[in-house]
């Protein structure tokens, strides 16, 4: 008798429990779509700029969340490595490095020398040479990631280093990378291209710089590609398995050293592209990397560590919130990235594992 | 007269542990083909440590481990699964952020062929998993998780399946189901080495048993004898 009553009571509570679960699952979406929709209508210009910046944060945050999720390295060198990739692409493109006196020393071989390499494509400010430099820059950056992982992070991990030690080590890597960039390219800012930046009109949208359209398309395309790799291929499944439960992954015959390498190749590759696109959108300075770190970490944590989809959305949110809140006059532009932290704190108060935290 | 076949698993003089201190010392265990063998013992006796050492998750400090008469001492887990050992850890034994089907696919990750067929084989053995193959494993109940964990370990058609407390924290009904599954898996030709807290039920489906206390082998014998032994009843079956 007693047990039947207990069962009935549980059934009686059930609908409200289910309602709570439903709210819990959908509340982030309701808030995001509500506020995002409002921003898109009432602050269209800033919303669009925010989305463009946001896709870059998103791309880098997807890389970061993969790296952190699978290798357990809270990669504080992320922003500086983005800049490093941008400078490598710059080197490939213009061949310029810091000279002895005034001005640059220019390497005799560079992509911009190729015939027609700087002739503008469509309305873009650049020609095929920059796209080539982007690809080569990423291909050069990937071995750098792999070398850093092998020399620093893997060695520390083998010695039993925890997250805190890896974090400090990655901070050291960040400072090293920044120092190297300062030595080779100097502190002054540089640009891939100088001429006028044409704007384009896409129906239903405000005018945007054509280069930004390129950025948007590449960033979204690569994020979709990363998603397909992670969720539709065996390699991706093994990567997610290794992130979820490394011991069990090994017990299933997965060589976690291989998954780790692929994580740096794919996650690092995305990050490198993000860095180069960001430099195309603004400029190259060694200092930019550290500034980037804040919004990118915010994006990753917002989305739930180890969740690429969440990191992507987190990047968009951070981008839009920054731009829109400046336009509302709430804050001065200098504090743009600070707003991301306010959002982050609010979200974490309600959802300690982020909007789409993987682990319950 | 041909000599008797070597046992599937033969452990002799195994010593292992964490850090500097040995946790288990001079352990010897045999599991014959088609046998179910259970290790019982109090909390902290070192039961999980023995399985981890056999499976290469801990370094073997001393002793020998053989699979079908060939030495596997010191081989890492990723090699041992390919050689025919399946292992289900005591905790965190599924990939909770992956779907049921993905969990099984990872279990069969190293298969050259027949992955889909083997997944269907597991689904046929455990129909409860086939009901919602694309459900995230984190949404499963305790019993379903344990079933999935065992299913994952069966994906490579192991000759030896090692289970660390498969019935822990399950309801009596689910516990019954898990033990029935173990018997069924064994009937289909897989030798079983299992660690159990529910000593009586576990021994009642086992052929032989080992009693571990303070890191050493206290007793060993046919399961029925252990169940009947005064010492075992008093110390480990709570009578
Ligand atoms: N990762 C570890 N690091 C250090 N010591 C450990 C570790 N895991 C277990 N131990 C110690 O080793 C001893 C044996 O642990 P083990 O997990 O093998 O026991 P068990 O028989 O499986 O117990 P239980 O019934 O609780 O699962 C215990 O004293 C425990 O404190
Ligand atoms: Mg144990």
């Amino acid at each position: 008798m007693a047990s039947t009553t207990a069962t009935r009571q549980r059934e009686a509570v059930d609908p409200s429990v289910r309602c709570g679960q439903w709210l819990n699952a959908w509340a982030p979406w309701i808030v995001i779509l509500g506020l995002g929709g409002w921003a898109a209508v009432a602050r269209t210009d800033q919303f669009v700029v925010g989305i463009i910046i946001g896709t870059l944060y998103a791309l880098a945050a997807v890389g970061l969340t993969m790296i952190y999720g699978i290798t357990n390295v809270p990669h504080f060198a992320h922003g500086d490595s983005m800049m490093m990739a941008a400078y490598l692409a710059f080197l490939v493109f213009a061949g310029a490095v810091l000279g002895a006196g005034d001005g640059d020393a220019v390497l005799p071989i560079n992509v911009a020398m190729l015939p027609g390499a700087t002739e503008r494509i469509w309305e873009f400010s650049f020609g095929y040479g920059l796209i080539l430099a982007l690809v080569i820059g990423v291909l050069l950056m990937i071995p750098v990631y792999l070398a850093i992982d092998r020399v620093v992070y893997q060695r520390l991990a083998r010695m039993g280093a925890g997250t805190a030690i890896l974090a400090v080590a990655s901070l050291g890597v960040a400072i090293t990378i920044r120092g190297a960039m300062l030595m080779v390219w100097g502190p002054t800012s540089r640009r891939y291209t100088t001429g006028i930046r044409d704007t384009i009109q896409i129906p239903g949208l405000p005018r945007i710089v054509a280069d930004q359209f390129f950025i948007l398309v590449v960033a979204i395309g690569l994020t979709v590609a990363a998603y397909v790799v992670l969720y539709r291929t065996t390699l991706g499944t093994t990567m997610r398995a290794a992130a979820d439960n490394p011991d069990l992954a090994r017990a299933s015959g997965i060589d976690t050293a291989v998954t780790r390498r692929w994580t740096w190749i794919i996650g690092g590759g995305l990050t490198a592209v993000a860095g180069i696109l960001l430099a195309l959108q603004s400029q190259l300075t060694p200092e930019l990397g550290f500034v980037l770190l804040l919004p990118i970490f915010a994006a990753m944590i917002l989305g739930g560590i180890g969740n690429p989809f969440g990191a992507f959305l987190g990047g968009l949110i951070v981008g839009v919130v920054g731009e829109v809140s400046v336009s509302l006059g709430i804050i001065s532009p200098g504090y743009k990235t600070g707003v991301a932290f306010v959002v982050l704190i609010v979200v974490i108060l309600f959802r300690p594992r982020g909007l789409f935290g993987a682990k319950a | 007269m041909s000599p008797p076949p070597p046992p599937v698993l033969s452990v002799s003089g195994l010593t292992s542990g964490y850090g500097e201190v040995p946790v288990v010392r001079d352990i010897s265990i045999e599991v014959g083909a088609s046998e179910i063998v259970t290790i019982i013992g109090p909390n902290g006796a070192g039961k999980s440590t023995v399985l981890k050492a056999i499976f290469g998750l801990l370094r073997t400090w001393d002793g020998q481990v053989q699979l079908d008469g060939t030495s596997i001492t010191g081989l890492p887990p990723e090699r041992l699964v390919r050689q025919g050992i399946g292992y289900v850890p005591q905790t965190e034994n599924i990939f909770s952020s992956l779907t049921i089907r993905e969990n099984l696919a990872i279990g069969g990750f190293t298969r050259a062929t027949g992955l889909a067929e083997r997944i269907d084989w597991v689904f046929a053995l455990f129909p409860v998993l086939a009901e919602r193959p694309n459900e995230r494993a984190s949404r499963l109940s305790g019993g379903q998780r344990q079933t999935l964990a065992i299913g994952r370990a069966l994906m490579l058609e192991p000759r030896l399946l090692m289970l660390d407390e498969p019935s822990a924290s399950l309801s009596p009904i689910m516990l019954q189901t898990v033990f029935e599954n173990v018997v069924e898996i064994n009937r289909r030709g897989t030798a079983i080495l299992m660690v159990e807290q529910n000593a009586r039920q576990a021994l009642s489906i086992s052929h032989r048993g080992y009693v571990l206390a303070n890191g050493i082998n206290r007793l060993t014998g046919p399961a029925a004898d252990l169940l009947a032994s005064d010492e075992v009843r008093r110390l480990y079956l709570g009578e």
Side-chain angles (χ1 to χ4, degrees), chain B residues 18-67:
Chain B
Y18 312 84
E20 299 292 309
V21 193
V23 168
V24 293
R25 293 176 305 280
D26 199 21
I27 301 290
S28 295
I29 290 171
E30 276 196 6
V31 182
S34 77
E35 258 191 329
I36 300 178
V37 174
T38 293
I39 303 174
I40 62 170
N43 284 99
K47 308 179 296 293
S48 297
T49 306
V50 168
L51 294 195
K52 286 186 212 163
I54 295 172
F55 196 61
L57 289 168
L58 293 174
R59 204 167 52 78
T60 302
W61 299 7
D62 198 7
Q64 287 292 320
V65 186
Q66 291 187 335
L67 187 68

Side-chain angles (χ1 to χ4, degrees), chain A residues 240 244-245 248 250-252, chain B residues 78 81 92 96-97 102 152:
Chain A
R240 287 185 293 127
D244 184 317
N245 191 335
L248 195 62
R250 285 184 70 201
S252 306
Chain B
E78 52 266 36
V81 283
E92 294 179 31
S96 48
S97 67
E102 284 171 341
R152 183 201 59 79

